[in-house]
Amino acid sequence: MPKKVHVQTTINGETVEFLCEPRQSLLEVLRDELGMTGAKEGCNNGNCGACSVILDGRLVNSCIVLGVETEGKTVETVEGLAEPGKLHPIQEIFLEDAALQCGICTPGFIVATKALLDKNPNPTEYEVRYWLAGNLCRCTGYDKIVRAVLDSAQIMSSEVGA
């Protein structure tokens, strides 16, 4: 049995410690060790974006990041977006705009949207489509997803200005 490594990191604003094998992906650690099932396993090779998280401010596919690589870093997952009893504006808009079907890709798109809007609060449609190119949806067209991102940008920027 491989030796486990002690890792201390910050996930969704809370200090977290866990033991993992050196070969375990961050996705496996989140789901299997920490019970955080928001990030989904789609392809397990970094091509679909269903497992997207934000690692030290950078959008990454958690299936190709090792859990041990998060030592001392900050991880944001879809679970960390909402407040108790209140969805994040991005989550609300995705629901209102019907920008989802089966839901496997939705957490990845929502996290990718947050990462985009953190960097660029007022993206163009072209910028949204370019940014989301690493996220795949097998059920629906991308137009509703792109519209949800643009609507989220508009709503969030109006809330900041309020």
Side-chain angles (χ1 to χ4, degrees), residues 4 18-19 23-37 39 41:
K4 293 197 174 194
F18 57 85
L19 294 174
R23 62 160 187 80
Q24 275 185 290
S25 70
L26 175 56
L27 176 61
E28 291 172 311
V29 169
L30 290 171
R31 293 183 63 82
D32 301 338
E33 306 298 329
L34 301 176
M36 302 177 77
T37 58
E41 181 180 330

Side-chain angles (χ1 to χ4, degrees), residues 62-126:
S62 63
C63 69
I64 59 172
V65 172
L66 295 173
V68 295
E69 292 181 278
T70 65
E71 172 67 38
K73 296 186 177 174
T74 301
V75 179
E76 293 178 71
T77 71
V78 71
E79 288 94 343
L81 295 182
E83 297 175 18
K86 184 177 185 327
L87 292 176
H88 188 279
I90 294 169
Q91 294 168 312
E92 289 179 359
I93 296 296
F94 265 69
L95 286 172
E96 289 172 15
D97 287 1
L100 52 102
Q101 277 189 359
C102 83
I104 295 294
C105 68
T106 305
F109 273 106
I110 289 172
V111 170
T113 298
K114 180 172 185 310
L116 168 61
L117 298 181
D118 284 350
K119 293 188 181 313
N120 180 358
N122 192 24
T124 64
E125 180 178 338
Y126 176 82

